[in-house]
Amino acid sequence: MARIVMKFGGTSMAGIERIRNVAARVKREVEAGNEVAVVVSAMAGETDRLVGFCREASSLYDAKEYDVVVSAGEQITSGLLAIALQAAGCKARSWLGWQLPINTSDAHGSARIGEIDTVALDASLADGVVAVIPGFQGVADGQRVTTLGRGGSDTSAVAMAAAMKADRCDIYTDVDGVYTTDPRIVPRARKLGKVTYEEMLELASVGAKVLQTRSVGLAMKENVRVRVLSSFEDGDTSDGHRGTLIVGEEEIDDMERQLITGIAHDKNEAKITLTQVSDRPGSVAAIFAPLADAGINVDMIVQNVAHSTGSTDVTFTVPSADLARTLDVLDKAKDAIGFASLVHDTRVAKVSVVGVGMRSHAGVASTMFTTLGERGINIQAIATSEIKVSVLIEEDYTELAVRVLHTAYGLDAEDAA
């Protein structure tokens, strides 16, 4: 017998018929003798609808009341799935975030999970009752409902698996696993059997949409084994899955290890350049300190060689959704920073190659730069980590860059159509 957390996304819960299909999957795990907790998202599009209501009611809405409204979508699907499970002959009940409780910080709209009390839940599971838990929500100070930010149901599921000491956490979504790149761009992309936590964390952070970044970081911290599965394919059971397993590096043997695991891309980037910044100690801090205070995440940073005039240009990227706020912060800090002009460009994209194999192999970056250069794709900025190389390019070249890099690193599937 295993203890399993199953998480179903919005497309899996989009309507009563799909909820019945989810119930059938859960029932199969129960009939296999497993203890099961299910974490659910709101129906596809429902959270956007609720957010729209908040904005329509007031552009300056109270974040606490916002959480009350937007958390309702998961509450509805948890109750409906419990009803569907009962109708299918399974013992089941829903648990809201405050009933467990799932304790979080009081940062409404982007709360962090602190601890989860599983005493009552453990007793219920031991009695053979399926627990249905709304993702994305918790409670602060035992009083106010909180939400974890968009995509937070993945984090809820991993946190529940850690707290329950589950054998694994199965994330059911509309894709059947993690691929070497987006199959819509590269039809010859291959599905991966196993991916390390570090690789998945890097892939998620640079544009792969399969799992939320926070959920992968938490899984790595708590050593939770995660499976990514499709909720629209048969045969994905506890003993016959066809998805991708996210695990520690020690679980992947040398025969399975690849030099490069995947190619990711992200078009939600904006490039900003400050010209003629004073070349003196503290000038760069004057740029990025106010951005940090405003909660704006900066990614790639390039500082040019100082001009003979004693000034330099500084280029960096931010999420495109934060561009307006970034420009406002920099404009207000112009006197403290001391720059001549502020130039921005949203017609850019970040393309990244990721793989633990590059730790022990030279030439990964060289292959990337040579491949892009041969196709006339100019690199505007570069960022690296131990297992990642990212470049910023013109947006129009994104798909071409992904395709040629996928081939250059030998990732194309031989038997693809």
Side-chain angles (χ1 to χ4, degrees), residues 146-167:
T146 57
T147 62
L148 310 182
R150 299 307 294 266
S153 292
D154 285 350
T155 301
S156 298
V158 173
M160 286 303 310
M164 294 165 49
K165 297 180 172 54
D167 294 279

Side-chain angles (χ1 to χ4, degrees), residues 315-380:
T315 298
F316 58 92
T317 62
V318 298
S320 55
D322 289 334
L323 177 59
R325 284 200 306 137
T326 302
L327 297 177
D328 181 61
V329 169
L330 293 174
D331 186 61
K332 290 177 179 176
K334 183 174 182 178
D335 291 341
I337 299 169
F339 59 87
S341 63
L342 183 59
V343 182
H344 66 274
D345 185 3
T346 57
R347 296 167 300 175
V348 295
K350 179 170 62 178
V351 176
S352 307
V353 298
V354 176
V356 293
M358 67 175 69
R359 283 179 177 152
S360 55
H361 290 78
V364 172
S366 175
T367 298
M368 185 181 201
F369 304 153
T370 300
T371 301
L372 296 178
E374 289 173 348
R375 292 304 183 107
I377 301 173
N378 187 45
I379 296 172
Q380 303 178 23

Side-chain angles (χ1 to χ4, degrees), residues 206-286:
V206 295
K209 302 296 191 297
V210 179
L211 290 173
Q212 188 210 40
T213 305
R214 280 173 60 187
S215 70
V216 183
L218 182 59
M220 182 166 65
K221 176 178 176 290
E222 300 293 338
N223 198 32
V224 175
R225 302 174 88 249
V226 177
R227 281 178 176 170
V228 179
L229 305 158
S230 170
S231 56
F232 302 109
E233 288 191 358
D234 293 330
D236 296 331
T237 64
S238 57
D239 58 356
H241 76 93
R242 297 186 297 199
T244 300
L245 191 62
I246 317 298
V247 293
E249 191 173 345
E250 67 280 357
E251 289 198 46
I252 300 180
D253 61 42
D254 291 336
M255 292 295 292
E256 296 175 299
R257 197 178 306 280
Q258 299 285 328
L259 172 60
I260 296 300
T261 297
I263 315 290
H265 70 281
D266 188 357
K267 295 183 178 181
N268 298 311
E269 295 279 324
K271 182 180 72 169
I272 297 172
T273 300
L274 302 180
T275 66
Q276 297 181 37
V277 176
S278 178
D279 185 29
R280 56 177 172 76
S283 59
V284 174

Side-chain angles (χ1 to χ4, degrees), residues 125-201:
L125 290 172
D127 195 35
V129 180
V130 176
V132 185
I133 303 163
F136 179 59
Q137 68 169 243
V139 61
D141 301 323
Q143 296 181 336
R144 297 303 302 252
V145 172
T146 57
T147 62
L148 310 182
R150 299 307 294 266
S153 292
D154 285 350
T155 301
S156 298
V158 173
M160 286 303 310
M164 294 165 49
K165 297 180 172 54
D167 294 279
R168 70 174 191 271
C169 178
D170 290 347
I171 307 287
Y172 286 86
T173 181
D174 54 358
V175 296
D176 61 349
V178 179
Y179 280 75
T180 49
T181 196
D182 188 339
R184 293 169 298 183
I185 295 177
V186 183
R188 296 177 69 87
R190 291 184 292 107
K191 186 172 67 176
L192 300 165
K194 292 181 181 179
V195 179
T196 69
Y197 294 124
E198 289 179 280
E199 289 169 326
M200 194 66 241
L201 188 60

